[in-house]
Amino acid sequence: MIIERYYSSLTAVIGLVLLAILFAYIQPMILSPFGVTMSANQGTTLALAALAQLVVVLTGGVDLSVGAMVGLTNAIAATYMGTHPAIATLVIIGTLFAGTLAGFVNGLIVAYGRIQPIIVTLATLYIYTGIGLVVRPQPGGSVPSGFANALTGSWGYLPYGLIFLLVVVGVAWVPLMRSRLGRAIKAVGDNRNGARVSGISVARTELWAYTAGGFFAACAGIFLTAQTTSGDPTIGTSYTLNSVAAVVFGGAVLGGGRGVALGPICGAYFLSLLISVLFASGVSPFYQNLLQGAILVIVLAAANVWRLRTRHWLNVMSN
Amino acid sequence: MNNVSESKRAVALPSWLLQGVTISYILLVVLFALAAAINPHYASWDNIRNLLQIGAFIGVIAVGQTLVIITGQIDLSVPWNLTFSAILMATLISHGTSTPVAIAAALASGTLVGMFNSIGTAIFRIHSLVWTLGTNALMQGATLVYTHAQPPKVDVPPFIRALGAGNLWGIPVPLMVWIVAAIFALVILHQTRFGRYLYAIGNNESALFLSGVDSRKVYLGAYAISGFCAALAGIMLTGYSSQTYLGMGSDYLLVPVAAVIIGGTNIMGGSGGYLGSISGAMIVVLLQSVLSTVQIQEAGKNIIFGSIIIVLLLLYGREKLSTH
């Protein structure tokens, strides 16, 4: 049963393992504590962004503003954190609040404005990037070194970044998904009218799903701040598309209802590791974009061929 | 479902007035009047001509985007498809290829990329949002490999320059191209079987399939046209700026989509049309133009542009409440 539950994640898990083995074969130095930590840290921001995307995708929507929220929270954290630990803590809480608020606004417009999520989040992408630019017109800022070390350091082979991700999953994701709201989120994504007639408030469910998305995006922004030790409101751009790719590669269905966190997280690490592997195997930078795009496209096609094989063409269409 | 919600409306307005297309044209007029009231220069023919010229680039891309969105899909591969086509053309010209051949090659390249989009969406059934973004990344990579990040320095031939910036009898040539493209789009959508299939796919693909139409070919056509339009816009932009550069497509990822949606086409497919996209493109251009003349930072422009799109959609882009 547990295998059935995580079956959709299989592609991403196997892909990640194979890629890690390939990486270790090309570059054995990666198996040092430093190498493991570096690889993990590169993927953690995207993994958190993928969670932000997943909670929205589960309702049947899509959030194009994930990257903007990551950039906005990154800008806020790096601008106001200063050096004093107490202030830094307050700023982290404030950053989480800001991200959550951004998600809340998305949810409010989607759920009660009844506008298509893709176009709402496209508009808020501009708004949040704009606010980020108000907070921090030029890239820069600083963070306490203790804060950066606490998130990006490691204990032997165990990177703190991975622990941070596990804490977010354990404290926020799992309780959310196990709660009444979590079940409502999946129900709404699976069958809106079915959810409505069984007494679930679709609008309220969507509102809180987007709000949760904002919270996870803020977590990604905070980790990114620790990783880059600076703020840049436009740094998040690539996270929007990559988070969607990670979520789809991780077995969640755009259209809603199905998906577990494991797949998208592995998908996120897969995508970020891919860049390192290409870099390590000495591929010219000009070819890296091309290969990255090609691999993404091939993987998506291959993952879907399996789905097509097992279904009638008409079933495929209604999805 | 529609009938129920229509009859519940307290004030009976004529139904044509409530359509997105009509509202978007009313909005366009209101916005233009506001802009002209603040700054009389807006009403001058020079400025209108300028707006129409810039609107042509978005409008041409919106032809393909409208077709694709009516099927319920989206084409996010425009930026780098456009850039690659333009750079391909410029490179061929710099190697001495004649202008018509170079233009044909660019259009062919764009069309092929469009067809590649339909392979993923129609055959592998991957969500077009993801697949076309993948294509976009692929074309970005292809452009970098092809140019080694150094777009060719080339003397843009007069014909291409005319396509992007020329004037004929006082009317901008890009506007003429746009008019031709618009007529093409309207005829395709409303006078051909292919056009009816586009709407049918957006409404219910299974039903279309069961009535014996191979919907994959319909997707192929829509995406091929979209790719062609992207390449055409790339050629026009090359003429407009007299050069090719790597960032030339970056403004065209989401703006054409916004134009189509503001014009009243449903992003889920099945309804809408190109008539609305024309006013949508002009609304977007007008907003961008107003925002670029007022003295505010880039940040403020982003915030205002995003907010206005949301306000416009709140005005008329709302979905009907489900009544069951």
Side-chain angles (χ1 to χ4, degrees), chain B residues 66-191:
Chain B
T66 305
L67 265 53
V68 170
I69 289 179
I70 284 173
T71 69
Q73 308 291 331
I74 198 166
D75 185 357
L76 297 181
S77 69
V78 169
W80 285 99
N81 186 11
L82 179 159
T83 309
F84 183 82
S85 307
I87 286 180
L88 176 71
M89 176 185 71
T91 311
L92 286 176
I93 288 172
S94 72
H95 289 326
T97 313
S98 70
T99 309
V101 175
I103 289 178
L107 293 174
S109 150
T111 312
L112 280 176
V113 172
M115 289 161 94
F116 180 77
N117 280 329
S118 74
I119 292 177
T121 47
I123 297 175
F124 291 115
R125 312 302 293 191
I126 297 160
H127 204 290
S128 55
L129 187 71
V130 180
W131 179 263
T132 55
L133 275 173
T135 309
N136 194 40
L138 211 56
M139 293 317 292
Q140 179 183 13
T143 310
L144 292 178
V145 169
Y146 186 59
T147 60
H148 282 231
Q150 294 283 325
K153 298 258 180 300
V154 61
D155 239 356
V156 177
F159 178 71
I160 295 172
R161 226 179 285 180
L163 270 183
N167 278 292
L168 205 58
W169 308 303
I171 299 168
V173 180
L175 177 60
M176 293 177 179
V177 178
W178 186 15
I179 291 171
V180 173
I183 292 170
F184 170 79
L186 291 170
V187 168
I188 286 255
L189 280 173
H190 303 300
Q191 300 295 329

Side-chain angles (χ1 to χ4, degrees), chain A:
Chain A
M1 223 178 83
I2 190 138
I3 297 207
E4 206 169 292
R5 184 171 149 73
Y6 289 102
Y7 186 69
S8 63
S9 307
L10 210 58
T11 328
V13 174
I14 293 175
L16 179 61
V17 170
L18 288 181
L19 192 66
I21 292 172
L22 178 71
F23 197 16
Y25 176 73
I26 296 174
Q27 183 60 274
M29 264 159 51
I30 209 65
L31 292 173
S32 67
F34 176 73
V36 171
T37 307
M38 211 178 64
S39 305
N41 283 348
Q42 269 166 4
T44 302
T45 310
L46 183 57
L48 289 163
L51 288 182
Q53 190 67 258
L54 178 61
V55 67
V56 170
V57 165
L58 282 175
T59 67
V62 66
D63 191 345
L64 295 184
S65 71
V66 163
M69 292 193 288
V70 172
L72 171 62
T73 49
N74 169 240
I76 293 175
T79 305
Y80 298 115
M81 208 173 267
T83 47
H84 197 278
I87 293 176
T89 313
L90 277 178
V91 169
I92 290 174
I93 294 170
T95 306
L96 286 175
F97 182 76
T100 312
L101 186 66
F104 182 79
V105 171
N106 280 342
L108 215 53
I109 305 171
V110 169
Y112 295 99
R114 299 201 304 276
I115 309 174
Q116 278 302 320
I118 179 172
I119 195 79
V120 170
T121 52
L122 164 60
T124 54
L125 179 159
Y126 282 98
I127 298 176
Y128 298 153
T129 307
I131 297 175
L133 285 168
V134 170
V135 172
R136 171 152 286 289
Q138 304 294 330
S142 65
V143 298
S145 58
F147 164 72
N149 291 336
L151 286 183
T152 59
S154 76
W155 184 60
Y157 278 97
L158 191 62
Y160 294 149
L162 214 53
I163 299 177
F164 180 64
L165 175 69
L166 289 178
V167 166
V168 172
V169 170
V171 172
W173 182 268
V174 173
L176 173 68
M177 282 300 137
R178 295 261 164 103
S179 69
R180 184 188 286 255
L181 174 64
R183 283 197 301 277
I185 286 174
K186 285 189 180 174
V188 166
D190 196 46
N191 184 342
R192 284 176 87 84
N193 281 324
R196 186 177 285 118
V197 294
S198 41
I200 293 171
S201 166
V202 174
R204 202 179 303 155
T205 306
E206 281 186 326
L207 172 64
W208 294 118
Y210 282 88
T211 309
F215 173 80
F216 290 116
C219 293
I222 285 174
F223 188 81
L224 185 65
T225 313
Q227 200 194 344
T228 60
T229 65
S230 71
D232 178 359
T234 58
I235 198 172
T237 319
S238 67
Y239 290 104
T240 298
L241 315 180
N242 284 335
S243 68
V244 177
V247 162
V248 173
F249 183 41
V253 179
L254 284 179
R258 272 167 289 166
V260 287
L262 178 68
I265 289 175
C266 290
Y269 281 112
F270 175 89
L271 291 177
S272 65
L273 203 56
L274 195 59
I275 300 167
S276 311
V277 170
L278 290 177
F279 192 70
S281 45
V283 174
S284 138
F286 295 126
Y287 283 89
Q288 282 184 15
N289 275 308
L290 182 66
L291 280 175
Q292 211 187 328
I295 290 169
L296 184 67
V297 161
I298 291 167
V299 161
L300 285 174
N304 242 34
V305 165
W306 181 253
R307 194 168 72 93
L308 294 180
R309 229 171 59 100
T310 53
R311 280 203 193 167
H312 190 269
W313 194 240
L314 268 179
N315 289 344
V316 172
M317 269 181 191
S318 53
N319 270 308

